[in-house]
Amino acid sequence: MEEHNCKHMLGTLSEYVDGELASELCADLEHHLQTCPNCTVVVNTLRKTIELYHDTAESDPLPTDVRRRLFARLDLGDYVK
Ligand SMILES: [Zn+2]
């Protein structure tokens, strides 16, 4: 396992699901996701939540407070910038 990478990877998830992460970091994250079920679950949950939000809020970006609540629920509060 690459658990030592999780903290760093999780810190990039928010940008990743927004499509704002640099391509190099995307590749690193996607490689990590292939080996880390824990982070995969987090990404899938984050994406689903954002999709649900977009269904009701059109194209507005996910507000910071929504993001913070989501990450808090995922027990990732420490990773929110
Ligand atoms: Zn991981």
Side-chain angles (χ1 to χ4, degrees):
M1 296 301 291
E2 302 180 46
E3 290 181 14
H4 60 286
N5 281 335
C6 286
K7 193 167 187 176
H8 171 70
M9 294 296 167
L10 290 170
T12 68
L13 286 184
S14 177
E15 292 172 61
Y16 177 70
V17 297
D18 285 342
E20 294 175 351
L21 191 63
S23 57
E24 281 184 18
L25 295 175
C26 279
D28 286 346
L29 178 57
E30 286 168 355
H31 176 74
H32 178 74
L33 291 176
Q34 289 174 1
T35 62
C36 184
N38 292 333
C39 289
T40 301
V41 168
V42 173
V43 167
N44 288 341
T45 302
L46 193 55
R47 274 185 167 150
K48 188 155 293 183
T49 301
I50 289 171
E51 284 172 12
L52 287 172
Y53 179 81
H54 281 175
D55 283 346
T56 59
E58 308 248 330
S59 59
D60 288 343
L62 194 66
T64 302
D65 64 322
V66 173
R67 190 190 303 272
R68 186 171 293 129
R69 282 202 302 271
L70 172 63
F71 273 60
R73 181 175 300 181
L74 294 172
D75 202 19
L76 298 174
D78 291 345
Y79 303 116
V80 178
K81 292 174 188 171

